[in-house]
Structure formats: C-alpha cells, structure tokens
Amino acid sequence: MRPLSPSVVLQGTGLPALLVAEPKNVRYLSGVEASSAALLLTPRAASLYLDPRYFEAGEATVRPGFTVQPVERLWADLKRFERIGFESEHVTVARLQRWKKRCPGAKWVRT
C-alpha cells in the first residue's frame, strides 16, 4: 500500500528530508514514470523534480499532494537541510560523492 503522505515515509527516521532517486521508487510514490527524476520528501511536502522532457507529462500524471518542480531547483532546495536521507541500496558511491559536492553542508544519511 502506498503511503498517504510524506510524513509516513519519513516516520521513525528522524530525518528532515529524504531524496528518492531510484526510478522504480519515484514511480511508486509519485505515479510518474521518468528515467530522470527525483523526489524530495519532507514531513510537510513532497516535490517531484523533472527534467524538461518529462515536465508536462509529470504535471498531468503526478499523484495528489506532490508538486512538480524543474530539476534545476533540486540542489537549491536540498541546501536548506543539514541532514538528508538517501536510498543507500540504489545510490552508487560515485553518485553520492557528486551529491556531497553539490551540498557540502549536508550530512547524507543512509536509509
């Protein structure tokens, strides 16, 4: 069963934010299928970040409660958080290193 809100996904983690980048998980949670997408979940919001190829389709098919944002906003939005959870089973070491360079002030927490 799909969680009804972002707070349910974060429940018990103690995290202020979770970055979901695995396409299957993005699709499961948001309803949008895209090879280049990310979800930022916080206790009060769920944002789907899409590149321009998927933006229009994403707006048309995203589940209620999600806002669709251009992917260019992702890093600025992530910089608001000191701790960010990520899907450790789906993120390579190289990808995590790139994320750390883009958000040097954040502590990345495996989930």
Side-chain angles (χ1 to χ4, degrees), residues 2 17 19-20 22 33 39 42 48 50 63 72 77 79-80 82-83 88-89 91 93 95 101 103 105 107 109-110:
R2 286 182 179 84
L19 180 61
V20 178
E22 167 61 33
E33 186 169 353
L39 288 176
T42 70
L48 173 64
L50 295 170
R63 287 195 168 83
E72 295 81 16
D77 290 351
K79 288 180 181 177
R80 299 181 324 199
E82 293 179 7
R83 295 174 57 238
S88 58
E89 289 189 27
V91 176
V93 171
R95 188 175 204 185
K101 285 181 183 178
C103 290
K107 177 180 180 186
V109 180
R110 299 182 333 154

Side-chain angles (χ1 to χ4, degrees), residues 5-85:
S5 73
S7 60
V8 172
V9 176
L10 291 170
Q11 195 171 26
T13 68
L15 293 169
L18 174 66
L19 180 61
V20 178
E22 167 61 33
K24 290 177 186 175
N25 293 336
V26 169
R27 182 178 66 241
Y28 176 77
L29 292 169
S30 72
V32 175
E33 186 169 353
S35 62
S36 180
L39 288 176
L40 176 57
L41 304 176
T42 70
R44 294 191 178 99
S47 297
L48 173 64
Y49 297 85
L50 295 170
D51 78 22
R53 297 174 293 164
Y54 303 107
F55 205 86
E56 190 174 320
E59 287 184 314
T61 60
V62 72
R63 287 195 168 83
F66 285 84
T67 59
V68 179
Q69 305 287 341
V71 71
E72 295 81 16
R73 289 194 51 182
L74 175 62
W75 299 106
D77 290 351
L78 281 171
K79 288 180 181 177
R80 299 181 324 199
F81 302 100
E82 293 179 7
R83 295 174 57 238
I84 304 165

